[in-house]
Amino acid sequence: MEFVVPALLIAVALIAVVTLAKSVRIVPQQRQDVVERLGRYKRTLNPGLNILVPFIDAVRTKVDMREQVVSFPPQPVITSDNLVVSIDTVLYFKVVDSVRATYEISNFLQAIEQLTVTTLRNVIGSLDLERALTSREEINRHLSGVLDETTGRWGIKVTRVEIKAIEPPPSIRDSMEKQMRAERDRRAAILNAEGHKQSQILSAEGEKQAAVLRADGDRQARILQAEGQAKAIRTVFDAIHQANPSQKVLAYQYLQALPQIANGTANKVWIVPTELTRALEGMGGALGGLGQMVGDAPSKEASDDASAVEREAAEAAQAAAAAAQEIHDEVRVAEAQATGGNSPQGLPAPEPVSPAALLNDTSDQRERG
């Protein structure tokens, strides 16, 4: 008897502890527990402290109400152009009804995976490889719509479906790389050609503008130069008319220019007429008798410098006679070389004119005047 009473007390204490443990259930946040009473759904335990009937109520499942992410293994899919591609998908979902997720389907995660694979094969099967690679957004929307509609009756909400990777066969990848490389080379060549074209156009436009500016500058320079020459000629012409030069001055200028004409490098052959002496005599007479010309009366200042002018005229006449004599000698030498030492028979040889005779003739003409 001494050992029976303590044993009963210990058994009652154990039963009380077990009963208390079965009666009290603490549910954490973002989780719901599905409770069954004698094998039948009774209620759903929300987060916090909950009291159960011991040995009658039991927790069937513990459902996580948070959004979950599941990555499915690669699935082989055949495109419309009979190419096998491997597609990886990522699924985002959350349980919105723990009761239906527990009783409507045995394993909702496996069901979602299989539904995703079959839907993905249907969608990819209607697309070719190029469109499948470039239409990920369209595929994602189609998958999300189908999965959300099907899993809604299971108490599950599919929030997002993403295609992680689409892997074509190795041979197709090589062909695609070659195609992309050729496309990039083509674009690079086009860009280089366009750049060269623009460069040539800009260079041509620059040269055109430069040529136009140079031509305009040359035109302006020519116009200004012509205007300057015209103004200079007009000024000289007006000065000559205002000065009213006499025949004496003109004859004097001719005598000064005659030696320069004789010394020209382009003058190879000179034909000296026999009337040169008489022409010079006439010029001398013109120099001596200019004072008696009509309308050319010398001024008072010109009368004072008459002697100086006569001296200069005499010197000019002497220089002209010397130049004529040199020309005469050169002509005689050229004729001798051409005829072999014999003078031509058709024309008489002109007589040489000395400077002294020219001066004497000029003085005589001046005295006769």
Side-chain angles (χ1 to χ4, degrees):
M1 293 296 295
E2 294 179 0
F3 296 100
V4 174
V5 175
L8 290 175
L9 293 176
I10 293 173
V12 171
L14 290 176
I15 293 172
V17 172
V18 172
T19 302
L20 182 61
K22 292 288 185 179
S23 300
V24 177
R25 175 69 63 175
I26 298 176
V27 179
Q29 186 67 30
Q30 296 297 330
R31 197 185 79 181
Q32 289 183 353
D33 294 348
V34 178
V35 178
E36 293 181 349
R37 178 173 291 179
L38 299 177
R40 185 177 181 179
Y41 171 73
K42 178 61 178 177
R43 62 192 179 97
T44 301
L45 301 181
N46 294 320
L49 179 63
N50 296 274
I51 303 299
L52 300 178
V53 178
F55 305 106
I56 297 177
D57 294 338
V59 176
R60 167 69 184 273
T61 56
K62 299 176 180 179
V63 181
D64 192 351
M65 304 300 293
R66 293 174 297 180
E67 186 173 1
Q68 302 181 34
V69 181
V70 179
S71 178
F72 299 136
Q75 299 294 328
V77 181
I78 300 176
T79 61
S80 61
D81 49 357
N82 297 324
L83 293 177
V84 179
V85 295
S86 180
I87 300 179
D88 296 345
T89 56
V90 178
L91 181 65
Y92 297 83
F93 70 95
K94 65 183 299 186
V95 179
V96 295
D97 192 343
S98 58
V99 177
R100 285 190 295 174
T102 303
Y103 294 102
E104 293 293 336
I105 189 169
S106 61
N107 190 344
F108 63 85
L109 187 59
Q110 184 180 3
I112 292 174
E113 180 181 358
Q114 296 301 320
L115 181 61
T116 302
V117 172
T118 55
T119 306
L120 189 61
R121 288 178 179 176
N122 291 333
V123 174
I124 298 298
S126 61
L127 303 176
D128 56 3
L129 178 60
E130 185 175 359
R131 188 177 176 187
L133 293 174
T134 57
S135 303
R136 293 194 176 188
E137 293 294 333
E138 181 180 354
I139 296 172
N140 293 336
R141 288 195 301 269
H142 190 74
L143 286 175
S144 298
V146 172
L147 292 175
D148 191 29
E149 181 181 359
T150 304
T151 58
R153 63 176 180 269
W154 300 339
I156 297 173
K157 173 66 176 178
V158 177
T159 58
R160 189 177 182 87
V161 180
E162 291 289 342
I163 296 178
K164 186 166 59 175
I166 300 177
E167 296 292 337
S171 59
I172 301 300
R173 286 201 300 269
D174 295 339
S175 300
M176 292 173 62
E177 290 178 358
K178 292 179 181 179
Q179 181 181 0
M180 294 301 297
R181 190 179 300 110
E183 181 67 20
R184 291 189 180 94
D185 293 339
R186 183 182 68 86
R187 292 179 181 177
I190 291 174
L191 292 176
N192 290 331
E194 290 180 353
H196 184 67
K197 175 183 176 181
Q198 293 295 330
S199 175
Q200 293 294 329
I201 290 174
L202 294 177
S203 299
E205 290 180 353
E207 293 177 358
K208 175 184 176 182
Q209 294 179 1
V212 170
L213 293 177
R214 284 195 296 269
D216 186 67
D218 190 13
R219 181 177 65 86
Q220 294 292 334
R222 289 177 181 270
I223 291 173
L224 294 176
Q225 184 177 5
E227 291 178 354
Q229 292 179 356
K231 187 175 180 180
I233 293 173
R234 190 181 301 110
T235 303
V236 173
F237 185 77
D238 294 340
I240 291 174
H241 277 274
Q242 290 177 2
N244 192 15
S246 63
Q247 296 293 331
K248 178 181 177 180
V249 176
L250 296 177
Y252 176 66
Q253 292 293 330
Y254 177 78
L255 290 175
Q256 284 184 341
L258 188 60
Q260 298 179 359
I261 296 174
N263 292 330
T265 57
N267 299 327
K268 300 301 181 182
V269 178
W270 285 78
I271 298 176
V272 181
T274 57
E275 291 83 1
L276 178 61
T277 305
R278 284 179 292 178
L280 294 176
E281 290 177 358
M283 292 172 58
L287 293 173
L290 290 175
Q292 300 177 0
M293 290 183 180
V294 180
D296 192 18
S299 61
K300 184 177 181 180
E301 293 80 0
S303 299
D304 295 337
D305 298 335
S307 59
V309 173
E310 290 178 358
R311 287 195 300 272
E312 292 180 0
E315 293 176 357
Q318 185 177 1
Q325 183 65 32
E326 292 178 359
I327 295 171
H328 176 71
D329 294 340
E330 291 179 359
V331 171
R332 295 297 299 273
V333 173
E335 289 178 353
Q337 293 178 356
T339 59
N342 298 323
S343 299
Q345 300 296 328
L347 297 175
E351 297 179 358
V353 180
S354 62
L358 182 60
L359 294 175
N360 293 331
D361 292 339
T362 304
S363 301
D364 295 341
Q365 183 67 24
R366 189 167 52 251
E367 291 175 358
R368 286 194 300 269

